[in-house]
Amino acid sequence: MLRKIQPVFDATDASGGKSLGDLPEWDLSDLYASEDAPELERDLAWLEKACADFAADYEGKLDTLDAAGLLQCIHRDEKISNIAGRIMSYAGLRYHQLTTDGGRTKFLSDCQEKITNFTTPLVFFTLELNRLDEDRLTAMYAENADLARYEPVIHRIRAMKPHQLSDELEKLLHDLGVVGDAWERLFDETIAGLSFTVDGEELGIEATLNLLTKQDRAKREAASRELARVFGENIRIFARVHNTAAKEKEVLDRWRKMPTAQTGRHLSNDVEAEVVEALRNAVVAAYPKLSHRYYELKRKWLGLDVMQVWDRNAPLPIEDTKTVDWTGARKTVMDAYSAFDPRMGELAQPFFDKGWIDAGVKPGKAPGAFAHPTVTNVHPYVMLNYLGKPRDVMTLAHELGHGVHQVLAADQGELLSSTPLTLAETASVFGEMLTFRAMLDNAKTDQERKVLLAGKVEDMINTVVRQIAFYDFECKLHAARREGELTPDDINALWMSVQAESLGPAFEFMDGYERFWAYIPHFVHSPFYVYAYAFGDGLVNALYAVYEENPDGFQDKYFDMLKAGGSKHHKELLAPFGLDASDPTFWDKGLSMISGFIDQLEEMEN
């Protein structure tokens, strides 16, 4: 059910009435001053002409270009990507601030349709690029070093060559893209408009999910049952969105002759399927020594015979439930970043000072958190739903890591700055680790240290175990959808098939938990995105081990890795650290850090 738009409330209301301080909001004027800004009209007009001119100058002629001509062509394409990206970033960010506002929704949709229409004539570019002779391209790289810079992105485009359709079909699919986007918007608007009533208080989804981390067990149970009830009332919408998105993907994959539903994601991530499979298998094999072992410890700490789903993210009984205000969160993260390297603090500072963060919880605002890079000649924007929980501090550290990474990679330009998802989580998870280690070093008592360690283990389990369980759910969902339409009960059963396996025997599952797949946005927006979190966590654990063993010169190598953006393959990026993600034992090294933290917690019990 969609809720009427209410006045924006102070995020402090959802955190027990304690003041969180002055929470920042975005200043989007670095993109455009308003939706009717003359600069926006100018850029739309420029884009329409630039696309038409590009098609007139290059369609059917790409194979006649020399190295200098191809470089100029790529530069023009890059400029078009920049202007289109600027417009869509502005429209998208405004929409995320208030997804239930009809005007913002219309503006986003209108921009998307205009840009789709303008850029349809450019579909030929990647198709003709894929038809160029490989030996001729190699010779042009050797002849022109500036062109050779773009070899990684051209290589990624040409990886799709075996899955390319006819020119006419590719144009049709390009035009139909806005239809698929409408299903994503239906999901977003439905989620943002949900209303939950817990103990007489009406809440949005972020504030309701936040109750699952409260000390009061009755409050956690009430929130869980209310989530289940409201998801149940809307389950047919969520099932329709998932069925449609999965079917659309199945049709595209079949036409493109993709061997699996996951292949497209692996190609876009520039990662080999066997590397992802090795990660998945290593994590699943480690469930007993990670999540199963930790939750058995937590069951004892909570004094329960069996844990319910509303206990999964419960604070420990010994945990101080204090609220961290915005000033405290900022200081914690900035101190940790600057202690690692002053350059890191300098890169993070403008996010706080210049309106690059939107932190408050507001009705209609998109749930969750993200860092959006916009375009390389502007800057990223970070979105949070900050409620003053210690985990919210870690979320700030995480998204700020993304932002720093995006700032550093911007010098690569529009086509090379974008990092494959598998590596995009590196700086974010590393930022979390820096913040956690700083907090652990400053712990004054064994009790405080235990709470911090337990919190970090839970975050890592959520990042690694939970996300791989999500990945397995998606694999099952897309495989099942290929056999026919899925009822809500069908999807519920797939969800439950991975939950007990990943969480372990310490848990019992309430009626209604089978519907909790409904609110996960990645399943709709970015199928199979979720393994990137586990990839990033394992990668960072291995990186941090290298840092601890040999800190000399690590910072420079780390900054070089972030500056590379998407210009290098993961094998090349990790080589300076002596790491190789294609080594089957690589993931065990990363998982051993989580296991080691659990060892420490077990030792504290003795």
Side-chain angles (χ1 to χ4, degrees):
M1 57 188 173
L2 292 175
R3 183 179 57 190
K4 292 180 182 178
I5 299 190
Q6 302 171 6
V8 171
F9 64 81
D10 187 345
T12 57
D13 290 350
S15 61
K18 297 179 182 177
S19 174
L20 297 177
D22 188 14
L23 294 175
E25 293 188 354
W26 281 332
D27 174 4
L28 298 179
S29 62
D30 287 344
L31 291 165
Y32 298 103
S34 66
E35 64 179 61
D36 55 1
E39 293 83 2
L40 179 57
E41 291 302 313
R42 176 202 67 199
D43 284 353
L44 281 166
W46 180 91
L47 188 65
E48 183 175 21
K49 184 175 188 306
C51 290
D53 290 349
F54 186 93
D57 292 346
Y58 292 114
E59 189 166 13
K61 305 169 189 172
L62 227 59
D63 60 353
T64 68
L65 300 177
D66 59 12
L70 182 57
L71 177 64
Q72 183 183 33
C73 174
I74 289 171
H75 282 162
R76 285 176 63 178
D77 176 73
E78 199 163 29
K79 176 68 172 175
I80 287 169
S81 296
N82 176 274
I83 297 300
R86 189 185 193 114
I87 294 166
M88 287 311 303
S89 291
Y90 178 71
L93 291 173
R94 283 185 77 252
Y95 168 75
H96 278 91
Q97 282 183 302
L98 194 58
T99 63
T100 50
D101 178 68
R104 295 184 187 217
T105 302
K106 173 177 165 52
F107 180 67
L108 173 63
S109 182
D110 288 349
C111 287
Q112 181 66 72
E113 287 189 20
K114 286 177 184 176
I115 288 175
T116 298
N117 291 336
F118 296 165
T119 56
T120 294
L122 308 188
V123 171
F124 80 90
F125 178 56
T126 55
L127 304 180
E128 290 190 28
L129 195 62
N130 285 347
R131 289 196 281 265
L132 294 179
D133 179 73
E134 188 66 39
D135 290 338
R136 184 155 174 266
L137 263 178
T138 302
M140 286 198 279
Y141 296 149
E143 174 190 335
N144 191 311
D146 290 334
L147 178 64
R149 265 195 76 244
Y150 290 93
E151 190 276 334
V153 73
I154 293 173
H155 172 78
R156 285 199 288 275
I157 291 170
R158 286 168 66 85
M160 283 294 292
K161 184 176 180 178
H163 310 291
Q164 188 170 294
L165 303 177
S166 70
D167 293 13
E168 285 302 306
L169 274 176
E170 292 289 356
K171 287 179 180 177
L172 172 65
L173 292 177
H174 179 84
D175 279 352
L176 284 174
V178 294
V179 180
D181 290 346
W183 287 96
E184 294 179 21
R185 288 205 302 276
L186 173 62
F187 173 84
D188 290 342
E189 290 160 19
T190 302
I191 283 288
L194 295 180
S195 179
F196 306 84
T197 303
V198 182
D199 294 342
E201 185 179 6
E202 187 177 347
L203 302 168
I205 189 166
E206 281 292 338
T208 308
L209 289 169
N210 182 58
L211 295 179
L212 301 181
T213 64
K214 294 290 186 182
Q215 279 284 12
D216 184 346
R217 191 168 192 243
K219 180 78 79 172
R220 298 198 305 269
E221 178 179 357
S224 296
R225 296 197 183 281
E226 178 67 355
L227 286 163
R229 183 189 70 80
V230 175
F231 293 158
E233 287 182 351
N234 294 272
I235 203 67
R236 292 180 64 186
I237 295 176
F238 293 124
R240 172 58 46 225
V241 169
H242 282 68
N243 267 289
T244 305
K247 183 60 181 178
E248 180 187 39
K249 188 175 191 320
E250 184 272 324
V251 171
L252 289 172
D253 286 349
R254 176 158 37 88
W255 277 79
R256 293 193 183 282
K257 296 181 171 59
M258 295 281 187
T260 72
Q262 302 93 308
T263 299
R265 176 61 64 197
H266 300 338
L267 287 171
S268 67
N269 281 346
D270 198 20
V271 66
E272 301 75 17
E274 55 270 22
V275 172
V276 177
E277 192 64 15
L279 164 64
R280 182 261 172 203
N281 291 341
V283 173
V284 171
Y287 283 171
K289 69 177 181 181
L290 299 181
S291 49
H292 297 189
R293 188 161 61 115
Y294 174 74
Y295 288 129
E296 180 57 25
L297 267 177
K298 186 167 187 177
R299 182 189 66 76
K300 294 175 184 174
W301 294 336
L302 295 175
L304 301 171
D305 292 329
V306 64
M307 286 175 69
Q308 301 290 344
V309 292
W310 54 80
D311 299 315
R312 185 173 61 84
N313 285 325
L316 304 189
I318 60 172
E319 191 168 331
D320 183 355
T321 56
K322 67 179 181 183
T323 298
V324 184
D325 66 16
W326 182 251
T327 301
R330 170 178 176 164
K331 184 178 189 313
T332 298
V333 175
M334 285 295 292
D335 286 354
Y337 273 37
S338 298
F340 171 70
D341 191 296
R343 290 173 291 179
M344 190 89 109
E346 290 166 8
L347 288 162
Q349 191 71 42
F351 284 84
F352 295 98
D353 296 342
K354 296 187 176 181
W356 299 2
I357 299 176
D358 196 300
V361 179
K362 308 156 197 170
K365 181 178 174 180
F370 62 76
H372 178 60
T374 70
V375 287
T376 55
N377 56 346
V378 185
H379 55 76
Y381 283 92
V382 165
M383 192 193 84
L384 306 170
N385 278 277
Y386 191 81
L387 288 163
K389 308 292 289 185
R391 280 195 176 95
D392 292 340
V393 180
M394 300 307 288
T395 301
L396 171 60
H398 181 102
E399 300 304 342
L400 203 57
H402 278 307
V404 166
H405 192 176
Q406 291 157 358
V407 169
L408 284 168
D411 286 346
Q412 292 289 345
E414 222 57 60
L415 297 181
L416 286 165
S417 62
S418 180
T419 309
L421 290 180
T422 42
L423 294 166
E425 293 299 329
T426 305
S428 54
V429 179
F430 197 84
E432 278 190 74
M433 183 64 81
L434 290 174
T435 304
F436 163 70
R437 294 286 186 168
M439 293 168 73
L440 196 64
D441 288 343
N442 292 327
K444 295 178 176 63
T445 65
D446 287 345
Q447 178 173 307
E448 189 178 347
R449 182 177 176 83
K450 179 179 178 178
V451 168
L452 285 167
L453 270 172
K456 184 59 178 172
V457 168
E458 290 197 18
D459 286 344
M460 294 170 106
I461 286 173
N462 285 337
T463 303
V464 178
V465 170
R466 187 165 163 80
Q467 301 302 327
I468 289 300
F470 283 177
Y471 176 66
D472 278 355
F473 165 73
E474 284 191 277
C475 291
K476 291 182 175 187
L477 175 76
H478 285 267
R481 184 63 183 90
R482 291 183 177 209
E483 302 303 315
E485 177 89 4
L486 300 174
T487 67
D489 285 344
D490 292 333
I491 304 176
N492 293 347
L494 296 175
W495 174 256
M496 293 308 295
S497 74
V498 301
Q499 290 300 302
E501 178 190 20
S502 61
L503 294 177
F507 278 94
E508 205 169 69
F509 299 95
M510 70 171 190
D511 289 342
Y513 181 69
E514 68 275 8
R515 300 190 283 267
F516 273 47
W517 53 268
Y519 77 95
I520 311 296
H522 299 84
F523 299 156
V524 176
H525 286 278
S526 309
F528 305 107
Y529 181 111
V530 289
Y531 74 73
Y533 290 112
F535 196 108
D537 197 274
L539 182 59
V540 165
N541 290 345
L543 266 179
Y544 204 88
V546 171
Y547 173 49
E548 287 187 313
E549 290 164 13
N550 187 16
D552 291 343
F554 180 90
Q555 284 89 336
D556 287 340
K557 287 190 284 189
Y558 179 73
F559 277 103
D560 285 344
M561 178 176 70
L562 300 189
K563 287 175 184 176
S567 67
K568 295 180 180 179
H569 186 263
H570 64 77
K571 214 172 182 71
E572 191 179 355
L573 283 173
L574 293 176
F577 303 96
L579 299 172
D580 182 0
S582 62
D583 179 352
T585 64
F586 173 82
W587 301 111
D588 293 328
K589 293 174 186 174
L591 295 173
S592 68
M593 179 177 285
I594 309 175
S595 186
F597 286 159
I598 301 173
D599 290 343
Q600 291 182 47
L601 288 168
E602 286 182 336
E603 288 166 11
M604 289 180 179
E605 296 300 289
N606 301 324

